[in-house]
Amino acid sequence: MRGGRPGLIGTVARTAVVAGGTATVTTRAVDKRMREREMKKAAQAQQTAPYEEQVQAPAPPTGITQEEKMAQLRELAELKQMGALTEEEFQQEKQKILAR
């Protein structure tokens, strides 16, 4: 048995343990930062989503002809048939078109 400093195998083993521990800590820190960034992006997306919907909604046309109303009603009926609109949504939009 040797006294004093550790041998080559002891030094390599200690280095491996320190390097492994450092790698684990670094990986956890990187994962944490990535999760925080993803959460921040998701929060920003939720905050901007209603604004984007408002911006994209076209202004209702005024003074449209009967032919245009009929075309809009047909399109509305197609959306309802496809399942994109509920009966309530269909009736609301239909009333808006007819009120113009």
Side-chain angles (χ1 to χ4, degrees):
M1 184 184 265
R2 291 179 58 185
R5 298 185 332 183
L8 179 62
I9 294 176
T11 302
V12 170
R14 186 173 351 140
T15 303
V17 168
V18 171
T22 303
T24 302
V25 170
T26 303
T27 302
R28 287 181 184 156
V30 169
D31 287 344
K32 181 180 176 185
R33 270 187 268 145
M34 288 176 66
R35 281 193 305 272
E36 288 172 352
R37 286 181 187 163
E38 289 172 4
M39 288 173 45
K40 200 178 287 186
K41 285 181 184 179
Q44 288 175 346
Q46 287 177 348
Q47 289 174 351
T48 59
Y51 175 73
E52 289 173 355
E53 289 175 10
Q54 288 176 348
V55 171
Q56 293 175 356
T62 57
I64 61 174
T65 66
Q66 273 310 105
E67 292 84 25
E68 291 172 325
K69 282 185 182 182
M70 292 302 292
Q72 288 178 349
L73 289 171
R74 279 189 217 102
E75 185 177 335
L76 199 61
E78 289 175 13
L79 289 171
K80 182 182 170 222
Q81 279 185 327
M82 291 175 14
L85 294 174
T86 64
E87 178 66 31
E88 184 180 318
E89 293 170 328
F90 172 76
Q91 291 299 330
Q92 288 174 352
E93 292 302 314
K94 180 176 139 184
Q95 291 304 317
K96 288 179 187 177
I97 292 170
L98 294 174
R100 295 183 197 154

